[in-house]
């Protein structure tokens, strides 16, 4: 159904003031249609220049996105309702399309036209509501706001919609908020929160929590609306944080987005393989390809010059038996944080890297021309062992040998070993030294955990040292090299 924009604006603007609620009071239904004169001021007597959101509020007021009240106030601390936020976004899109609202509590509401536009644009999804009720005067949660903003971006650029689908349909998706592991977030909201975080539309609090069930004030929403309009001009590929999240959802790593690594390629090695193994295959009366698979695993492919060797996505979840047989390991994620400079960079930096941690000889540090790499593993030990012992029993890069900073592990609910190695104490009475471990890696007990390693960021004269590589028991492999 189509309606003229002007009629909607007249009704909506005249009634806007009555829709606002304070933190403790919801406007009764009986008063929903009471009209009040709009205020077109761009500065307000309760928003002094010293207010942190003064410039943002002034800007959205000048654009006509948000209006004030008859008494000259803006009410910056008031919570934003669903009706209000629908109104704000509808003013941004300013379209003609409408979808008749099937909500039983919207028909004569002052924001009905804005809600119908939201349904037509798609930033409001009828399937997100139950019992055919929109509850227009209910304060918006940050989770809901993330949904509306992400859906709004998808209307402008379909690739944002694809990003939502990628994060929604992948078991590799990792959203850098404490609620991801600790709970307190609807899993269906995670891809939308990912869009909000990745684009910078919304951010976490000082303790890094996202508070998806928390509310947003009119002051905060002014800033969000400005960010939203700026983001509408960008393609998802222009937003590095979002690209990291998408790469992780698709491949389990953000290496190609954040670092200067690229997938390594085979040289002209086929002749080498023929010379090395043709004779051995004949001695066993086997076909050459059959022999290669027997030796290197079913997934192994004879190198073809110029072909990519493989990436983390080719080995995730596949077992790798350590050389010292201490455990069978699998990689689940490989998350990079750029720690080359004076500040850590990357969408996952707050989740893993603690800039205030004590700096031991093997601790993560800045300004060392290294990337910090956070690996998630599933491990089944064949004997009681330690993280350091497993690292010593693997080829370089297959097992990281540092635990995640314990402050970060606590903040984000990350599982990591409490110690990296066994340590000894002296039993004074008997004059004996006994070895202590934290019983994290126990024989036969499968455990999923995170650990930290490092990757070079600058090329050297030794190409073998400029690679991140590894393989699995079935012959699958990954290899990345620093771009020259």
């Amino acid at each position: 159904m189509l309606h003229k924009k002007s009629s909607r604006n007249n009704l909506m603007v005249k009634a806007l003031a009555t829709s606002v609620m304070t933190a403790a009071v919801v406007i009764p239904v009986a008063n929903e249609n009471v009209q009040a004169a709009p205020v077109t001021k761009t500065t307000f007597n309760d928003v002094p220049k010293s207010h942190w959101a003064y410039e943002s509020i002034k800007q959205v007021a000048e654009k006509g996105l948000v209006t004030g009240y008859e008494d000259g106030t803006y009410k910056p601390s008031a919570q934003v309702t669903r009706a209000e936020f629908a109104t704000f976004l509808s003013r941004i899109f300013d379209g003609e399309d409408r979808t008749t609202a099937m909500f039983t509590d919207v028909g004569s509401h002052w924001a009905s036209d804005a809600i119908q536009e939201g349904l037509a644009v798609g930033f409001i999804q009828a399937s997100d509501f139950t019992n055919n009720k929109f509850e227009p005067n209910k304060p918006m949660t940050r989770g809901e706001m993330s949904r509306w903003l992400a859906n709004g971006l998808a209307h402008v650029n379909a690739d944002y919609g694809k990003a939502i689908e990628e994060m929604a349909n992948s078991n590799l998706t990792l959203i850098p908020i404490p609620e991801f592991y600790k709970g307190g977030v609807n899993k269906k909201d995670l891809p939308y929160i990912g869009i909000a975080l990745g684009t910078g539309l919304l951010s976490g609090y000082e303790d890094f929590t996202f508070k998806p069930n928390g509310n947003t004030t009119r002051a905060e929403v002014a800033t969000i609306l400005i960010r939203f309009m700026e983001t509408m001009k960008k393609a998802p590929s222009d937003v590095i944080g979002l690209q990291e999240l998408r790469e992780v959802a698709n491949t389990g790593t953000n290496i190609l987005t954040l670092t200067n690594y690229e997938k390594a390629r085979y040289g002209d090695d086929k002749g080498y393989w023929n010379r090395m193994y043709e004779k051995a295959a004949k001695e066993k009366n086997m076909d050459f390809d059959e022999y290669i698979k027997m030796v290197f695993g079913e997934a192994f492919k004879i190198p073809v010059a110029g072909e990519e060797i493989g990436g983390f996505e080719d080995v995730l979840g596949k077992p790798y038996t350590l050389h010292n047989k201490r455990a069978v390991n699998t990689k689940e994620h490989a998350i990079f944080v750029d720690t080359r400079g004076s500040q850590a960079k990357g969408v996952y930096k707050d989740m893993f890297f603690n800039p205030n941690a004590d700096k031991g000889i093997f601790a993560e540090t800045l300004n060392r021309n290294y990337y910090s790499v956070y690996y998630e593993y599933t491990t089944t030990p064949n004997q009681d062992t330690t993280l350091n012992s497993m690292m010593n029993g693997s080829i370089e890069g297959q097992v990281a040998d540092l635990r995640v900073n314990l402050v970060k592990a606590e903040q984000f609910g990350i599982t990591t070993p409490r110690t990296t190695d066994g340590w000894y104490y002296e039993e004074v009475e008997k004059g004996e030294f006994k070895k202590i471990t934290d019983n994290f890696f126990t024989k036969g007990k499968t455990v999923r955990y995170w650990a930290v390693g490092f990757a070079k960021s600058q090329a050297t004269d030794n190409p073998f040292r400029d690679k991140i590589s590894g393989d699995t028991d079935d012959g699958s492999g990954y290899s990345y090299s620093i771009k020259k």
Side-chain angles (χ1 to χ4, degrees):
M1 179 183 299
L2 296 178
H3 296 284
K4 294 296 184 181
K5 188 76 174 180
S6 58
S7 63
R8 188 263 298 198
N9 279 346
N10 289 336
L11 177 62
M12 174 184 64
V13 174
K14 289 179 180 179
L16 180 60
T18 63
S19 73
V20 179
M21 59 173 291
T22 64
V25 181
V26 178
I27 301 299
V29 173
N31 293 333
E32 284 180 349
N33 299 308
V34 176
Q35 296 183 358
V39 176
T40 57
K41 292 177 60 176
T42 59
T43 58
F44 308 96
N45 56 35
D46 59 347
V47 186
K49 288 186 177 181
S50 59
H51 192 284
W52 68 267
Y54 173 82
E55 289 297 335
S56 296
I57 292 171
K58 185 173 183 292
Q59 187 173 341
V60 295
E62 288 173 346
K63 293 179 180 295
L65 301 180
V66 180
T67 57
Y69 296 86
E70 290 180 306
D71 60 359
T73 64
Y74 179 81
K75 295 181 174 31
S77 298
Q79 294 175 347
V80 176
T81 67
R82 288 174 176 172
E84 285 183 301
F85 200 59
T87 300
F88 301 155
L89 290 185
S90 72
R91 287 171 175 166
I92 290 176
F93 285 100
D94 196 31
E96 296 294 330
D97 291 339
R98 302 289 182 274
T99 295
T100 302
M102 302 303 292
F103 304 117
T104 60
D105 56 353
V106 164
S108 60
H109 193 279
W110 65 266
S112 175
D113 192 68
I115 293 167
Q116 291 182 42
E117 184 176 0
L119 289 167
V121 170
F123 64 78
I124 298 174
Q125 298 285 325
S127 58
D128 291 337
F129 303 88
T130 58
N131 300 322
N132 291 326
K133 289 187 177 297
F134 183 75
E135 297 182 274
N137 294 326
K138 188 173 183 178
M140 287 286 292
T141 68
R142 284 164 57 84
E144 289 174 329
M145 194 167 287
S146 297
R147 277 180 173 267
W148 291 23
L149 293 170
N151 286 332
L153 291 175
H155 174 77
V156 176
N157 187 322
D159 199 26
Y160 282 107
K162 185 178 179 181
I164 294 170
E165 292 178 2
E166 289 168 353
M167 288 187 278
N169 298 327
S170 173
N171 60 3
L172 298 174
T173 296
L174 181 65
I175 307 301
I177 58 175
E179 292 91 346
F180 185 85
Y181 283 124
K182 289 187 169 184
V185 60
N186 186 334
K187 289 186 177 180
K188 292 182 179 180
D189 285 339
L190 285 173
Y192 303 97
I193 293 173
I195 297 290
L197 286 173
T199 57
L201 291 174
L202 296 175
S203 58
Y205 290 86
E206 288 185 3
D207 61 355
F208 306 107
T209 57
F210 187 78
K211 294 181 173 51
N213 297 317
N215 303 124
T216 304
T217 66
R218 283 170 58 89
E220 291 170 328
V221 85
T223 300
I224 292 169
L225 292 173
I226 293 171
R227 292 172 182 167
F228 181 68
M229 289 186 290
E230 290 300 315
T231 305
M232 289 172 67
K233 304 173 187 177
K234 302 176 182 178
S237 57
D238 297 330
V239 186
I240 299 300
L242 180 56
Q243 285 296 91
E244 287 186 66
L245 295 172
R246 294 182 73 176
E247 187 185 356
V248 168
N250 288 317
T251 67
T253 183
N254 58 340
I255 184 173
L256 298 180
T257 300
L258 188 70
T259 77
N260 60 354
Y261 279 86
E262 61 186 354
K263 286 185 178 180
R265 298 179 181 275
Y266 289 111
D268 188 12
D269 295 331
K270 191 169 183 178
Y272 167 82
W273 288 96
N274 287 340
R275 292 192 301 272
M276 286 287 292
Y277 296 106
E278 256 185 355
K279 182 178 179 181
K282 288 179 180 179
E283 290 176 352
K284 290 185 175 292
N285 198 28
M286 296 176 67
D287 175 76
F288 177 71
D289 290 342
E290 182 184 4
Y291 178 77
I292 291 294
K293 290 184 181 300
M294 181 191 74
V295 174
F296 295 100
E298 288 293 322
F300 187 82
K301 296 180 180 179
I302 299 173
V304 175
E307 183 180 35
E308 289 181 348
I309 295 175
F312 283 116
E313 67 272 20
D314 297 308
V315 302
L316 297 182
K318 295 182 178 181
Y320 163 74
T321 302
L322 303 185
H323 290 186
N324 62 7
K325 311 299 181 184
R326 293 282 177 95
V328 176
N329 226 34
T330 65
K331 277 187 171 71
E332 308 291 351
H333 281 98
I335 305 298
F336 287 71
V337 173
D338 186 351
T339 50
R340 294 174 298 172
S342 59
Q343 292 184 331
K345 297 179 181 179
V347 75
Y348 292 99
K349 64 180 176 61
D350 292 332
M351 185 174 188
F352 291 105
F353 182 78
N354 183 1
N356 300 316
D358 293 334
K359 307 303 180 187
I361 187 172
F362 297 113
E364 301 168 87
T365 56
L366 298 167
N367 293 310
R368 286 184 58 189
N369 293 319
Y370 280 92
Y371 299 107
S372 293
V373 192
Y374 301 86
Y375 292 103
E376 186 182 27
Y377 301 103
T378 297
T379 297
T380 304
N382 295 320
Q383 63 183 78
D384 293 356
T385 187
T386 64
L387 183 60
N388 185 263
S389 181
M390 288 197 299
M391 185 276 293
N392 288 335
S394 68
I395 63 173
E396 184 176 1
Q398 283 289 72
V399 177
D401 60 342
L402 293 174
R403 67 189 183 190
V404 175
N405 177 267
L406 294 182
V407 172
K408 287 298 177 183
E410 176 65 26
Q411 285 177 337
F412 284 83
I414 296 168
T415 300
T416 193
R418 306 301 293 182
T419 63
T420 59
D421 200 356
W423 57 277
Y424 292 85
Y425 77 97
E426 183 178 5
E427 193 172 85
V428 178
E429 291 183 0
K430 297 182 179 179
E432 298 176 353
F433 284 91
K434 291 190 175 182
K435 189 173 184 178
I436 301 298
T437 67
D438 61 0
N439 297 321
F440 190 86
F441 298 106
T442 304
K443 180 179 179 180
K445 178 184 175 182
T446 300
V447 60
R448 190 155 174 158
Y449 70 98
W450 289 85
V452 190
F454 300 102
K456 291 179 178 294
S457 64
Q458 294 180 340
T460 67
D461 294 332
N462 185 344
F464 295 102
R465 300 289 296 176
D466 299 340
K467 287 187 177 182
I468 300 172
S469 61
D471 54 23
T472 59
D473 290 346
D474 71 353
S476 300
Y478 64 91
S479 184
Y480 298 87
S481 58
I482 299 175
K483 296 177 184 177
K484 303 300 182 184

